[in-house]
Amino acid sequence: TATTAHSMATGTWYNWIGVWDATATTMYLYKNGTLFTSVSITGNAEDTAVKLSIGRAGDATGYTNAKLDEIGIWSRALTTTVYQEPPYP
């Protein structure tokens, strides 16, 4: 589980992108194209027992109080240019 507490200004849109690097077993989280945090994760990202949650509290007790828009999941690696330069994918 990768979680990060972050306060966000009301009425402001943010672009968040999560990147899984299987070779480095690291999950990277980018905010508006800039690396926000990273965490080492053990296990297999393709493990069917692991569920992907977007907008949910890390401890699975609740959900974010935010609007989510333009959510996408790619089955290919994106170059850093793609998620660091506007317009974001």
Side-chain angles (χ1 to χ4, degrees):
T1 301
T3 60
T4 298
H6 176 73
S7 62
M8 293 182 271
T10 301
T12 301
W13 284 96
Y14 297 91
N15 180 273
W16 293 94
I17 296 177
V19 177
W20 166 248
D21 182 337
T23 303
T25 61
T26 302
M27 176 69 73
Y28 300 94
L29 183 62
Y30 291 83
K31 176 186 163 200
N32 297 333
T34 302
L35 181 62
F36 181 74
T37 190
S38 64
V39 62
S40 178
I41 300 175
T42 58
N44 184 346
E46 296 177 357
D47 184 348
T48 57
V50 176
K51 305 221 183 316
L52 173 65
S53 295
I54 299 172
R56 183 130 195 214
D59 58 5
T61 60
Y63 295 90
T64 184
N65 185 20
K67 294 180 181 179
L68 305 177
D69 188 22
E70 297 187 31
I71 296 171
I73 299 175
W74 284 260
S75 61
R76 61 179 172 83
L78 302 177
T79 64
T80 54
T81 305
V82 172
Y83 52 87
Q84 289 179 336
E85 298 293 330
Y88 303 107

